[in-house]
Amino acid sequence: MTATRIAVIAGEPRAHVELAVGALAPRLISRNATRAHVAVTAAGMVLLGGDHVDIRIDVGPACTLEIEDVGGTVAYPGALSSWNLDVRIGAGGTLLWHGLPFVVTGGADVERRSSLTLGSDARAVIRETLVLGRHGERGGRLSSELSVVDGDGPILFERLEADGRAPEPGVLGGNRTLDAVIAVGFRPRARPHDLEFDLPGAMARHLSDHTHGSPLDPVWDAWAALAEERGLGAAPASLETERNRVEVTA
C-alpha cells in the first residue's frame, strides 16, 4: 500500500507543503510562512484485515505542523494488519497531532508502531486514544509501540500488549479505552499524577470503559498551546544520562 506523506518546509510568502495520498488522504487547510494545518481522513476502508499502512511525516526546521484527524480509525477482523508512523521533526520544529480513537474490533489483530525523531529544540504533542472493541465488544488483539529519540539517543520507549479476549490486571484490566496526551521536547505544566520524563516531556493518561467524557481535553489544549510558545515554559535538558523506558506486556 502506498505510504501517506506529509511534509512542510518554511518558505515565503507561504510554506511549501507536500501531500501524498496513501491509506490516509491529507488535505491542506491553511498555511503561512512557517506553519501548516493539515486534515487527514481515511482514503478508503481502513484497517481491513491484512492492510499495512505507512505514514511518513517531515516537519522542516522552525516549522509547525498541526494535523487534524477526521473520523478516527477502525481495525476490522481478519488477518494481521499494521499501522506504522514515522515522524521526523527538524531543529526548532513542532508537531501537533490530535488523533481520534483507534478502535480494535473483536477479531482484529493489529500491530501499531509510532516512531518520532527530534532535531535540536524540536517539540511534539500527540493525542492518542486506543480502544478495544466497539460498543458491546471486548475487542481484538493490539500491540502498540511508541518510541521517541533525539540526537543524543532514546527519550521514551513504550510497548503495550493487550487483548480484549484476555484482559490482564495491571494493563487495562476491565477498561477498554486508553487515552493519552504525550509531550516531548519541552516541560509542560504536568498535573500531580502525570508521568514526567527525565528529559523535557510528560505523559497524561486516562483509563475508562468509554471514549466520551475524558478529562484530557484541557490537558491537550494547554500542552499544545505551550508547545508553540517558543522560549516559554521550557526547562533545560536534564544532565542525567538515564532515559525513559516503559514496557507494558499483557
Side-chain angles (χ1 to χ4, degrees):
M1 190 174 288
T2 303
T4 299
R5 185 169 186 268
I6 303 172
V8 56
I9 302 172
E12 291 290 348
R14 293 182 298 275
H16 178 65
V17 180
E18 296 180 13
L19 304 176
V21 176
L24 301 183
R27 296 289 183 266
L28 180 64
I29 297 177
S30 64
R31 59 177 164 168
N32 59 25
T34 59
R35 193 183 198 281
H37 183 187
V38 175
V40 293
T41 187
M45 291 285 287
V46 178
L47 285 165
L48 298 177
D51 279 352
H52 299 286
V53 173
D54 291 302
I55 306 162
R56 300 171 188 170
I57 296 173
D58 290 288
V59 183
C63 288
T64 295
L65 174 62
E66 178 183 0
I67 299 179
E68 180 179 345
D69 198 353
V70 179
T73 301
V74 177
Y76 294 96
L80 177 67
S81 58
S82 64
W83 175 281
N84 298 302
L85 171 65
D86 183 15
V87 177
R88 298 180 183 275
I89 307 174
T94 301
L95 172 68
L96 307 174
W97 188 338
H98 190 291
L100 291 182
F102 189 101
V103 181
V104 181
T105 64
D109 188 3
V110 182
E111 292 186 352
R112 190 176 188 267
R113 304 287 182 269
S114 299
S115 174
L116 282 73
T117 302
L118 309 183
S120 174
D121 195 33
R123 301 178 176 187
V125 183
I126 296 176
R127 176 81 174 266
E128 65 175 23
T129 306
L130 306 177
V131 185
L132 290 181
R134 294 169 289 194
H135 181 70
E137 289 184 339
R138 298 175 64 183
R141 189 193 75 87
L142 170 66
S143 172
S144 182
E145 184 177 292
L146 170 65
S147 64
V148 184
V149 302
D150 63 13
D152 294 324
I155 297 172
L156 171 68
F157 180 85
E158 179 180 62
R159 183 180 178 89
L160 169 71
E161 295 279 354
D163 192 331
R165 299 164 297 183
E168 291 284 344
V171 184
L172 298 184
N175 299 291
R176 49 185 285 268
T177 299
L178 176 61
D179 193 14
V181 179
I182 303 107
V184 289
F186 68 105
R187 290 285 184 199
R189 299 187 181 102
R191 304 169 302 171
H193 52 282
D194 293 335
L195 174 64
E196 295 190 71
F197 307 149
D198 290 332
L199 295 172
M203 179 187 299
R205 276 206 159 138
H206 177 66
L207 286 170
S208 178
D209 62 356
H210 54 266
T211 57
H212 60 276
S214 172
L216 297 189
D217 289 345
V219 175
W220 163 265
D221 292 339
W223 291 10
L226 188 60
E228 293 198 80
E229 295 178 9
R230 286 285 161 186
L232 297 178
S238 168
L239 296 179
E240 297 181 19
T241 58
E242 180 71 15
R243 300 277 181 138
N244 293 279
R245 181 179 179 92
V246 180
E247 292 199 25
V248 182
T249 304

